[in-house]
PDB file of all heavy atoms in Angstrom:
ATOM      1  N   ASP A  12     106.347 129.031  95.344  1.00 92.00           N
ATOM      2  CA  ASP A  12     107.066 129.744  96.476  1.00 92.00           C
ATOM      3  C   ASP A  12     107.396 131.161  96.161  1.00 92.00           C
ATOM      4  O   ASP A  12     108.190 131.362  95.226  1.00 92.00           O
ATOM      5  CB  ASP A  12     108.370 128.867  96.953  1.00 92.00           C
ATOM      6  CG  ASP A  12     108.948 129.403  98.086  1.00 92.00           C
ATOM      7  OD1 ASP A  12     109.257 130.508  98.235  1.00 92.00           O
ATOM      8  OD2 ASP A  12     108.968 128.592  99.070  1.00 92.00           O
ATOM      9  N   ASN A  45     103.395 115.116 113.357  1.00 85.00           N
ATOM     10  CA  ASN A  45     102.033 115.440 113.976  1.00 85.00           C
ATOM     11  C   ASN A  45     102.095 116.481 115.124  1.00 85.00           C
ATOM     12  O   ASN A  45     101.093 117.102 115.432  1.00 85.00           O
ATOM     13  CB  ASN A  45     101.342 114.172 114.402  1.00 85.00           C
ATOM     14  CG  ASN A  45     101.002 113.246 113.350  1.00 85.00           C
ATOM     15  OD1 ASN A  45     101.042 113.649 112.117  1.00 85.00           O
ATOM     16  ND2 ASN A  45     100.769 112.009 113.583  1.00 85.00           N
ATOM     17  N   PHE A  46     103.248 116.685 115.645  1.00 82.00           N
ATOM     18  CA  PHE A  46     103.490 117.715 116.800  1.00 82.00           C
ATOM     19  C   PHE A  46     103.933 119.029 116.213  1.00 82.00           C
ATOM     20  O   PHE A  46     104.289 119.975 116.979  1.00 82.00           O
ATOM     21  CB  PHE A  46     104.324 117.206 117.793  1.00 82.00           C
ATOM     22  CG  PHE A  46     103.991 115.902 118.483  1.00 82.00           C
ATOM     23  CD1 PHE A  46     104.541 114.628 118.091  1.00 82.00           C
ATOM     24  CD2 PHE A  46     102.866 115.838 119.395  1.00 82.00           C
ATOM     25  CE1 PHE A  46     104.126 113.479 118.676  1.00 82.00           C
ATOM     26  CE2 PHE A  46     102.457 114.667 119.957  1.00 82.00           C
ATOM     27  CZ  PHE A  46     102.958 113.384 119.440  1.00 82.00           C
ATOM     28  N   LYS A  63     122.341 125.386  91.092  1.00 92.00           N
ATOM     29  CA  LYS A  63     122.867 124.976  92.367  1.00 92.00           C
ATOM     30  C   LYS A  63     121.835 124.086  93.093  1.00 92.00           C
ATOM     31  O   LYS A  63     120.692 124.516  93.197  1.00 92.00           O
ATOM     32  CB  LYS A  63     123.212 126.189  93.215  1.00 92.00           C
ATOM     33  CG  LYS A  63     123.825 125.983  94.585  1.00 92.00           C
ATOM     34  CD  LYS A  63     125.151 125.398  94.424  1.00 92.00           C
ATOM     35  CE  LYS A  63     125.873 125.316  95.766  1.00 92.00           C
ATOM     36  NZ  LYS A  63     127.162 124.689  95.738  1.00 92.00           N
ATOM     37  N   LEU A 113     106.271 112.144  91.027  1.00 98.00           N
ATOM     38  CA  LEU A 113     107.090 112.912  90.130  1.00 98.00           C
ATOM     39  C   LEU A 113     107.956 112.030  89.179  1.00 98.00           C
ATOM     40  O   LEU A 113     108.060 110.764  89.478  1.00 98.00           O
ATOM     41  CB  LEU A 113     108.173 113.811  90.874  1.00 98.00           C
ATOM     42  CG  LEU A 113     107.558 114.746  91.921  1.00 98.00           C
ATOM     43  CD1 LEU A 113     108.637 115.527  92.679  1.00 98.00           C
ATOM     44  CD2 LEU A 113     106.565 115.641  91.419  1.00 98.00           C
ATOM     45  N   LEU A 145     109.788 107.712 100.868  1.00 97.00           N
ATOM     46  CA  LEU A 145     110.249 108.084  99.587  1.00 97.00           C
ATOM     47  C   LEU A 145     110.457 106.779  98.768  1.00 97.00           C
ATOM     48  O   LEU A 145     111.104 105.867  99.391  1.00 97.00           O
ATOM     49  CB  LEU A 145     111.508 108.865  99.420  1.00 97.00           C
ATOM     50  CG  LEU A 145     111.227 110.317  99.644  1.00 97.00           C
ATOM     51  CD1 LEU A 145     110.908 110.788 101.019  1.00 97.00           C
ATOM     52  CD2 LEU A 145     112.635 111.057  99.302  1.00 97.00           C
ATOM     53  N   ALA A 203     128.195 102.573 119.064  1.00 96.00           N
ATOM     54  CA  ALA A 203     127.401 103.480 118.261  1.00 96.00           C
ATOM     55  C   ALA A 203     128.129 104.454 117.551  1.00 96.00           C
ATOM     56  O   ALA A 203     129.449 104.591 117.851  1.00 96.00           O
ATOM     57  CB  ALA A 203     126.346 104.154 119.183  1.00 96.00           C
ATOM     58  N   GLN A 219     118.287  96.775 107.746  1.00 97.00           N
ATOM     59  CA  GLN A 219     117.128  97.461 107.194  1.00 97.00           C
ATOM     60  C   GLN A 219     116.768  98.764 108.102  1.00 97.00           C
ATOM     61  O   GLN A 219     116.147  99.611 107.556  1.00 97.00           O
ATOM     62  CB  GLN A 219     115.996  96.579 107.033  1.00 97.00           C
ATOM     63  CG  GLN A 219     116.118  95.601 105.833  1.00 97.00           C
ATOM     64  CD  GLN A 219     114.743  94.950 105.596  1.00 97.00           C
ATOM     65  OE1 GLN A 219     114.011  94.555 106.471  1.00 97.00           O
ATOM     66  NE2 GLN A 219     114.459  94.889 104.167  1.00 97.00           N
ATOM     67  N   GLY A 283     114.414  97.597  79.735  1.00 97.00           N
ATOM     68  CA  GLY A 283     113.209  97.093  80.134  1.00 97.00           C
ATOM     69  C   GLY A 283     113.105  96.723  81.717  1.00 97.00           C
ATOM     70  O   GLY A 283     112.044  96.671  82.196  1.00 97.00           O
ATOM     71  N   SER A 297     111.427 109.662 122.659  1.00 76.00           N
ATOM     72  CA  SER A 297     112.232 108.545 123.266  1.00 76.00           C
ATOM     73  C   SER A 297     112.891 109.125 124.550  1.00 76.00           C
ATOM     74  O   SER A 297     113.318 110.307 124.693  1.00 76.00           O
ATOM     75  CB  SER A 297     113.345 108.187 122.384  1.00 76.00           C
ATOM     76  OG  SER A 297     114.338 109.190 122.041  1.00 76.00           O
TER      77      SER A 297
END
Side-chain angles (χ1 to χ4, degrees):
D12 189 300
N45 293 344
F46 301 102
K63 182 71 175 178
L113 304 180
L145 275 71
Q219 283 191 319
S297 63

